[in-house]
Amino acid sequence: MKIGFIGLGIMGRPMASHLKAAGHEVFIPERASLTQELRDAMTVLPDAAAVAEAAEVVILMLPDTPDVQAVLFGPKGIEPALRKGQLVIDMSSISPTETKGFAERVGRKGCDYLDAPVSGGEVGAKQASLTIMVGGPEAAFQRALPLFQAMGKNITLVGESNGAGQTCKVANQIVVALTIEAVAEALVFASKAGADPAKVRQALMGGLATSRILELHGERMIKRTFDPGFRIRLHQKDLNLALQSAKDLGMALPHTASAQQLFSACVAEGHADLDHSAMVHALENLAAHKV
Amino acid sequence: MKIGFIGLGIMGRPMASHLKAAGHEVFIPERASLTQELRDAMTVLPDAAAVAEAAEVVILMLPDTPDVQAVLFGPKGIEPALRKGQLVIDMSSISPTETKGFAERVGRKGCDYLDAPVSGGEVGAKQASLTIMVGGPEAAFQRALPLFQAMGKNITLVGESNGAGQTCKVANQIVVALTIEAVAEALVFASKAGADPAKVRQALMGGLATSRILELHGERMIKRTFDPGFRIRLHQKDLNLALQSAKDLGMALPHTASAQQLFSACVAEGHADLDHSAMVHALENLAAHKV
């Protein structure tokens, strides 16, 4: 298949490489930062519009909502180049509410749109083991499925309305942040009360309190290994999507809002680029005690 | 072994029965509410002091801190009956900070003390599969281990200081409450945004957001099955232990405090005796939307 891939960052590079390895032709836009390896493997075209012109399927993997908006509809965007029958897949993690509007506008060009954000990070991207959460029409999902299977493992069509994938990703980031907070709060409490947090974590594993976060992030808190992983800075972006969407929807997310503040307290101490398990620092400051 | 068992409620009855079935002699205090079955199986003595007199090991399984204090040191308490070499095991879920004082006072009689609260509920008690979290001297733990093994499965000596078991239990209840809140907040958000919460839960399972709570309580929220389980009323008692201990220790537990308020909002609506997964009601009220 002829695939346009726009956004060749830490995530996008390995994802595009897996598509190439699966036998697809991959078109990418010219950028000074492209490595020679990428130039050799892919077909480099002058800009995003030219990529959209050449491709059947255009995949976006960009940092944030305004980046996606710019590539789709900005002055040098792909919208004028889109034609009937093409498929646009946005694999960035962006606003669920904005996504609905983007899909509608792309739809007016006769194109299908899928929102398909991922989780699993750089490791998942490299190992082609990403979790992919998809929103959009069933037929478009089936068309894209071989591409998703080249990049990920746990692939779910969350809903046939656009935005369902982004909503699911936001829900994922809410659960992850709040479970990190839960584990941090419990371990700081246990340690301040004089118990060994490693023993407490061990006793809790296997019971109702068990989670991947208790297992992985609990251990990071105890061993003080805060190399990312997933940076606080990026999790803040995702919680911002949650809080902005919640405001758009007219609803309250009290612990998400509070967790965002705890992340901000970490940022204030210069921890923006530590792993999100370093949220424990904010709880430690509230206890004047380290785990 | 000669065991005194004080507190034959929903949890205590099956626990004492397992000890009897394991070949121990079990002494229990007279109460009008004792069933004929219990009277036939155990040795009934006039009161708690007589039970302590007859036993080598005295086990308490009582509702709350004041109940334990009354049985140990109240006007009809067992303190005067205790003698050197006996072991007192408090399997109730009570205050970690008060526990230290209780252990010290029992220690002055020449007795060992273990705090050994459990999780796993009525089902775990009946199936002898309780998680048991123990604080106290290693030698006392080894002496009690065959008894614990008759009642539970996942048995951990959390620390050799008394209170470590209770601290661990409180940490467990913090993580469970806050993870329920996390799942509730994410599912209400997803549903309000138009996604199918069952699909979202499915997509999140297996990834970083996965937990026993997402699996069990997430399903209860979606299927609206709020029969306890574990009652909101009881979880409030446990979070109260957390908040009171945190105050004693001079530290803040922001999400535990907030979760307690969300439980209180459920109680205000008459939900005190629903399963703790019904915390989702409080989040639904903040969204004017049901999952």
PDB file of all heavy atoms in Angstrom, chain A residues 167-185:
ATOM      1  N   THR A 167     -10.689   9.373  23.151  1.00  0.00           N
ATOM      2  CA  THR A 167     -11.347   9.315  24.460  1.00  0.00           C
ATOM      3  C   THR A 167     -10.787   8.158  25.279  1.00  0.00           C
ATOM      4  O   THR A 167     -10.504   8.298  26.476  1.00  0.00           O
ATOM      5  CB  THR A 167     -12.867   9.139  24.274  1.00  0.00           C
ATOM      6  OG1 THR A 167     -13.381  10.320  23.639  1.00  0.00           O
ATOM      7  CG2 THR A 167     -13.570   8.925  25.592  1.00  0.00           C
ATOM      8  N   CYS A 168     -10.592   7.031  24.631  1.00  0.00           N
ATOM      9  CA  CYS A 168     -10.064   5.846  25.312  1.00  0.00           C
ATOM     10  C   CYS A 168      -8.638   6.086  25.793  1.00  0.00           C
ATOM     11  O   CYS A 168      -8.277   5.709  26.913  1.00  0.00           O
ATOM     12  CB  CYS A 168     -10.124   4.664  24.350  1.00  0.00           C
ATOM     13  SG  CYS A 168      -9.714   3.094  25.111  1.00  0.00           S
ATOM     14  N   LYS A 169      -7.844   6.751  24.947  1.00  0.00           N
ATOM     15  CA  LYS A 169      -6.465   7.060  25.332  1.00  0.00           C
ATOM     16  C   LYS A 169      -6.441   7.991  26.546  1.00  0.00           C
ATOM     17  O   LYS A 169      -5.660   7.794  27.478  1.00  0.00           O
ATOM     18  CB  LYS A 169      -5.704   7.694  24.161  1.00  0.00           C
ATOM     19  CG  LYS A 169      -4.297   8.213  24.488  1.00  0.00           C
ATOM     20  CD  LYS A 169      -3.302   7.094  24.752  1.00  0.00           C
ATOM     21  CE  LYS A 169      -1.972   7.582  25.335  1.00  0.00           C
ATOM     22  NZ  LYS A 169      -1.075   8.223  24.388  1.00  0.00           N
ATOM     23  N   VAL A 170      -7.313   8.982  26.537  1.00  0.00           N
ATOM     24  CA  VAL A 170      -7.393   9.901  27.679  1.00  0.00           C
ATOM     25  C   VAL A 170      -7.803   9.127  28.937  1.00  0.00           C
ATOM     26  O   VAL A 170      -7.212   9.316  30.015  1.00  0.00           O
ATOM     27  CB  VAL A 170      -8.376  11.061  27.391  1.00  0.00           C
ATOM     28  CG1 VAL A 170      -8.671  11.837  28.661  1.00  0.00           C
ATOM     29  CG2 VAL A 170      -7.804  11.991  26.321  1.00  0.00           C
ATOM     30  N   ALA A 171      -8.789   8.240  28.799  1.00  0.00           N
ATOM     31  CA  ALA A 171      -9.224   7.414  29.940  1.00  0.00           C
ATOM     32  C   ALA A 171      -8.046   6.596  30.470  1.00  0.00           C
ATOM     33  O   ALA A 171      -7.838   6.473  31.683  1.00  0.00           O
ATOM     34  CB  ALA A 171     -10.373   6.500  29.533  1.00  0.00           C
ATOM     35  N   ASN A 172      -7.256   6.055  29.556  1.00  0.00           N
ATOM     36  CA  ASN A 172      -6.066   5.294  29.938  1.00  0.00           C
ATOM     37  C   ASN A 172      -5.105   6.160  30.753  1.00  0.00           C
ATOM     38  O   ASN A 172      -4.623   5.751  31.817  1.00  0.00           O
ATOM     39  CB  ASN A 172      -5.362   4.790  28.675  1.00  0.00           C
ATOM     40  CG  ASN A 172      -4.189   3.874  28.970  1.00  0.00           C
ATOM     41  OD1 ASN A 172      -4.363   2.719  29.321  1.00  0.00           O
ATOM     42  ND2 ASN A 172      -2.979   4.400  28.837  1.00  0.00           N
ATOM     43  N   GLN A 173      -4.866   7.378  30.281  1.00  0.00           N
ATOM     44  CA  GLN A 173      -3.901   8.256  30.965  1.00  0.00           C
ATOM     45  C   GLN A 173      -4.427   8.732  32.317  1.00  0.00           C
ATOM     46  O   GLN A 173      -3.646   8.968  33.234  1.00  0.00           O
ATOM     47  CB  GLN A 173      -3.528   9.438  30.072  1.00  0.00           C
ATOM     48  CG  GLN A 173      -2.824   9.034  28.770  1.00  0.00           C
ATOM     49  CD  GLN A 173      -1.582   8.205  29.003  1.00  0.00           C
ATOM     50  OE1 GLN A 173      -1.655   6.988  29.243  1.00  0.00           O
ATOM     51  NE2 GLN A 173      -0.427   8.834  28.960  1.00  0.00           N
ATOM     52  N   ILE A 174      -5.766   8.863  32.427  1.00  0.00           N
ATOM     53  CA  ILE A 174      -6.365   9.182  33.727  1.00  0.00           C
ATOM     54  C   ILE A 174      -6.094   8.044  34.705  1.00  0.00           C
ATOM     55  O   ILE A 174      -5.604   8.249  35.824  1.00  0.00           O
ATOM     56  CB  ILE A 174      -7.894   9.422  33.599  1.00  0.00           C
ATOM     57  CG1 ILE A 174      -8.180  10.727  32.853  1.00  0.00           C
ATOM     58  CG2 ILE A 174      -8.560   9.424  34.971  1.00  0.00           C
ATOM     59  CD1 ILE A 174      -9.667  10.946  32.523  1.00  0.00           C
ATOM     60  N   VAL A 175      -6.412   6.817  34.288  1.00  0.00           N
ATOM     61  CA  VAL A 175      -6.240   5.662  35.190  1.00  0.00           C
ATOM     62  C   VAL A 175      -4.776   5.516  35.591  1.00  0.00           C
ATOM     63  O   VAL A 175      -4.464   5.303  36.771  1.00  0.00           O
ATOM     64  CB  VAL A 175      -6.761   4.357  34.551  1.00  0.00           C
ATOM     65  CG1 VAL A 175      -6.416   3.159  35.428  1.00  0.00           C
ATOM     66  CG2 VAL A 175      -8.270   4.430  34.339  1.00  0.00           C
ATOM     67  N   VAL A 176      -3.870   5.660  34.625  1.00  0.00           N
ATOM     68  CA  VAL A 176      -2.443   5.485  34.932  1.00  0.00           C
ATOM     69  C   VAL A 176      -1.976   6.547  35.940  1.00  0.00           C
ATOM     70  O   VAL A 176      -1.353   6.223  36.960  1.00  0.00           O
ATOM     71  CB  VAL A 176      -1.589   5.517  33.641  1.00  0.00           C
ATOM     72  CG1 VAL A 176      -0.101   5.596  33.968  1.00  0.00           C
ATOM     73  CG2 VAL A 176      -1.881   4.274  32.793  1.00  0.00           C
ATOM     74  N   ALA A 177      -2.313   7.809  35.687  1.00  0.00           N
ATOM     75  CA  ALA A 177      -1.867   8.887  36.597  1.00  0.00           C
ATOM     76  C   ALA A 177      -2.433   8.684  37.999  1.00  0.00           C
ATOM     77  O   ALA A 177      -1.712   8.813  38.996  1.00  0.00           O
ATOM     78  CB  ALA A 177      -2.290  10.256  36.058  1.00  0.00           C
ATOM     79  N   LEU A 178      -3.729   8.341  38.082  1.00  0.00           N
ATOM     80  CA  LEU A 178      -4.363   8.251  39.400  1.00  0.00           C
ATOM     81  C   LEU A 178      -3.925   6.987  40.137  1.00  0.00           C
ATOM     82  O   LEU A 178      -3.898   6.975  41.373  1.00  0.00           O
ATOM     83  CB  LEU A 178      -5.887   8.308  39.272  1.00  0.00           C
ATOM     84  CG  LEU A 178      -6.452   9.599  38.653  1.00  0.00           C
ATOM     85  CD1 LEU A 178      -7.962   9.655  38.801  1.00  0.00           C
ATOM     86  CD2 LEU A 178      -5.814  10.838  39.237  1.00  0.00           C
ATOM     87  N   THR A 179      -3.566   5.953  39.402  1.00  0.00           N
ATOM     88  CA  THR A 179      -3.059   4.752  40.079  1.00  0.00           C
ATOM     89  C   THR A 179      -1.635   4.999  40.580  1.00  0.00           C
ATOM     90  O   THR A 179      -1.270   4.545  41.673  1.00  0.00           O
ATOM     91  CB  THR A 179      -3.123   3.520  39.152  1.00  0.00           C
ATOM     92  OG1 THR A 179      -4.430   3.436  38.575  1.00  0.00           O
ATOM     93  CG2 THR A 179      -2.867   2.240  39.937  1.00  0.00           C
ATOM     94  N   ILE A 180      -0.845   5.741  39.820  1.00  0.00           N
ATOM     95  CA  ILE A 180       0.481   6.140  40.311  1.00  0.00           C
ATOM     96  C   ILE A 180       0.322   6.938  41.602  1.00  0.00           C
ATOM     97  O   ILE A 180       1.013   6.696  42.597  1.00  0.00           O
ATOM     98  CB  ILE A 180       1.241   6.972  39.245  1.00  0.00           C
ATOM     99  CG1 ILE A 180       1.693   6.059  38.093  1.00  0.00           C
ATOM    100  CG2 ILE A 180       2.448   7.696  39.858  1.00  0.00           C
ATOM    101  CD1 ILE A 180       2.315   6.806  36.915  1.00  0.00           C
ATOM    102  N   GLU A 181      -0.636   7.868  41.600  1.00  0.00           N
ATOM    103  CA  GLU A 181      -0.862   8.684  42.801  1.00  0.00           C
ATOM    104  C   GLU A 181      -1.258   7.791  43.973  1.00  0.00           C
ATOM    105  O   GLU A 181      -0.777   7.972  45.096  1.00  0.00           O
ATOM    106  CB  GLU A 181      -1.940   9.743  42.523  1.00  0.00           C
ATOM    107  CG  GLU A 181      -1.873  10.964  43.416  1.00  0.00           C
ATOM    108  CD  GLU A 181      -2.406  10.749  44.819  1.00  0.00           C
ATOM    109  OE1 GLU A 181      -3.170   9.778  45.045  1.00  0.00           O
ATOM    110  OE2 GLU A 181      -2.075  11.538  45.711  1.00  0.00           O
ATOM    111  N   ALA A 182      -2.136   6.814  43.714  1.00  0.00           N
ATOM    112  CA  ALA A 182      -2.616   5.903  44.769  1.00  0.00           C
ATOM    113  C   ALA A 182      -1.453   5.137  45.393  1.00  0.00           C
ATOM    114  O   ALA A 182      -1.321   5.054  46.627  1.00  0.00           O
ATOM    115  CB  ALA A 182      -3.636   4.921  44.186  1.00  0.00           C
ATOM    116  N   VAL A 183      -0.603   4.595  44.538  1.00  0.00           N
ATOM    117  CA  VAL A 183       0.539   3.807  45.018  1.00  0.00           C
ATOM    118  C   VAL A 183       1.509   4.711  45.784  1.00  0.00           C
ATOM    119  O   VAL A 183       2.009   4.344  46.855  1.00  0.00           O
ATOM    120  CB  VAL A 183       1.231   3.092  43.835  1.00  0.00           C
ATOM    121  CG1 VAL A 183       2.564   2.485  44.255  1.00  0.00           C
ATOM    122  CG2 VAL A 183       0.304   2.009  43.267  1.00  0.00           C
ATOM    123  N   ALA A 184       1.739   5.907  45.240  1.00  0.00           N
ATOM    124  CA  ALA A 184       2.655   6.850  45.898  1.00  0.00           C
ATOM    125  C   ALA A 184       2.134   7.228  47.283  1.00  0.00           C
ATOM    126  O   ALA A 184       2.881   7.206  48.272  1.00  0.00           O
ATOM    127  CB  ALA A 184       2.831   8.100  45.034  1.00  0.00           C
ATOM    128  N   GLU A 185       0.844   7.548  47.352  1.00  0.00           N
ATOM    129  CA  GLU A 185       0.258   7.981  48.624  1.00  0.00           C
ATOM    130  C   GLU A 185       0.355   6.853  49.662  1.00  0.00           C
ATOM    131  O   GLU A 185       0.715   7.083  50.826  1.00  0.00           O
ATOM    132  CB  GLU A 185      -1.208   8.392  48.380  1.00  0.00           C
ATOM    133  CG  GLU A 185      -1.771   9.294  49.436  1.00  0.00           C
ATOM    134  CD  GLU A 185      -2.976  10.130  48.967  1.00  0.00           C
ATOM    135  OE1 GLU A 185      -2.910  10.785  47.904  1.00  0.00           O
ATOM    136  OE2 GLU A 185      -3.977  10.137  49.685  1.00  0.00           O
TER     137      GLU A 185
END
